[in-house]
Amino acid sequence: MQLRCCFILLCLLGHSIISYCQKPNIKFGHLDINQGLSQNNVMCILQDKRGFMWFGTRDGLNKYDGYRFTIYRNDPNNHHSISSNFITGLAEDSKGNIWISTRGGGLNRYNREKDQFEHFMYSSSKNNSISSNLLDGMYKDHNDNLWLCTEDAGIDFYDQEKKTFRNFRHSDKNINTVSSNSVRCIFEDSDFNIWIGTYD
């Protein structure tokens, strides 16, 4: 009886090893301008809570429903259009707003109900504006706050509850500041530490 159980166990183990060693059957599908994407350089991707896929490109924001694309581009005659066509980051907050960082157009918030965009851009006359319109990406933390990567002005932190921006920049005189004002990427780990990748 023991010999029979050992034999069955070895057979099952052998089958598991063979199954594990087989190459996975991975197939790649393609979506590009031929299927309706606005541009082939995709900079960022988001799936929202409703299941839509969002693709940020160098020439427009694309919403994909599985069949067709809806493309959002800047319209100089429409103040509620997206502020720039060069999309660098995407995030969805707990209220279902889609946040979009852009290269040259600052930060945008997409309002689904109104199908329009609100702009957050640098202004020398406002103390509480973002510090740069050149955003290289963004990250939403566990508190629904946004961390913005700027090309030349460090990190901008947007507190959604207070609706305020705070800037963190490099200083040669202070070792405890961010190491560079050219910030590339941001991530929050499971202990809520914020990790910052820079050009330096």
Side-chain angles (χ1 to χ4, degrees):
M1 182 67 177
Q2 282 184 328
L3 186 61
R4 186 174 178 183
C5 287
C6 287
F7 177 74
I8 292 171
L9 184 62
L10 284 173
C11 287
L12 290 173
L13 183 62
H15 179 70
S16 298
I17 292 170
I18 291 169
S19 298
Y20 180 77
C21 293
Q22 290 177 349
K23 291 183 181 179
N25 185 17
I26 298 174
K27 296 179 182 179
F28 292 89
H30 303 138
L31 294 173
D32 58 24
I33 57 172
N34 297 314
Q35 284 76 42
L37 189 69
S38 66
Q39 206 252 356
N40 284 338
N41 286 310
V42 176
M43 309 300 290
C44 49
I45 300 173
L46 169 74
Q47 183 176 29
D48 69 21
K49 295 169 185 170
R50 300 182 185 187
F52 292 106
M53 297 298 298
W54 296 80
F55 303 99
T57 75
R58 294 187 181 195
D59 186 28
L61 175 65
N62 299 254
K63 182 174 76 172
Y64 184 60
D65 65 4
Y67 301 97
R68 64 188 62 84
F69 287 95
T70 302
I71 299 170
Y72 299 94
R73 285 192 177 100
N74 176 254
D75 177 357
N77 298 316
N78 180 1
H79 177 68
H80 296 295
S81 71
I82 196 164
S83 62
S84 170
N85 293 330
F86 197 139
I87 314 302
T88 59
L90 293 164
E92 182 181 19
D93 66 23
S94 60
K95 295 177 182 175
N97 295 306
I98 304 295
W99 292 86
I100 307 104
S101 62
T102 72
R103 191 164 179 79
L107 180 67
N108 291 254
R109 178 172 55 200
Y110 176 65
N111 184 311
R112 292 177 190 269
E113 282 67 37
K114 296 180 179 179
D115 192 31
Q116 63 187 29
F117 296 84
E118 180 182 1
H119 308 152
F120 299 82
M121 299 178 72
Y122 170 72
S123 172
S124 58
S125 62
K126 289 183 181 178
N127 293 332
N128 201 26
S129 74
I130 64 174
S131 56
S132 174
N133 288 328
L134 295 171
L135 303 180
D136 281 338
M138 63 187 301
Y139 186 81
K140 184 182 70 67
D141 68 19
H142 72 286
N143 284 322
D144 235 14
N145 298 312
L146 302 175
W147 297 79
L148 308 176
C149 309
T150 76
E151 182 185 88
D152 53 359
I155 302 163
D156 278 343
F157 171 78
Y158 182 63
D159 186 322
Q160 283 220 63
E161 190 175 318
K162 296 179 180 176
K163 301 189 185 315
T164 57
F165 287 96
R166 182 177 175 193
N167 181 250
F168 300 92
R169 291 186 191 230
H170 170 72
S171 171
D172 290 332
K173 297 176 182 177
N174 185 352
I175 195 171
N176 294 316
T177 59
V178 64
S179 61
S180 169
N181 284 329
S182 296
V183 179
R184 189 71 183 103
C185 52
I186 297 175
F187 182 78
E188 181 182 31
D189 67 21
S190 57
D191 293 323
F192 310 125
N193 296 304
I194 300 294
W195 295 79
I196 300 143
T198 74
Y199 282 106
D200 296 328

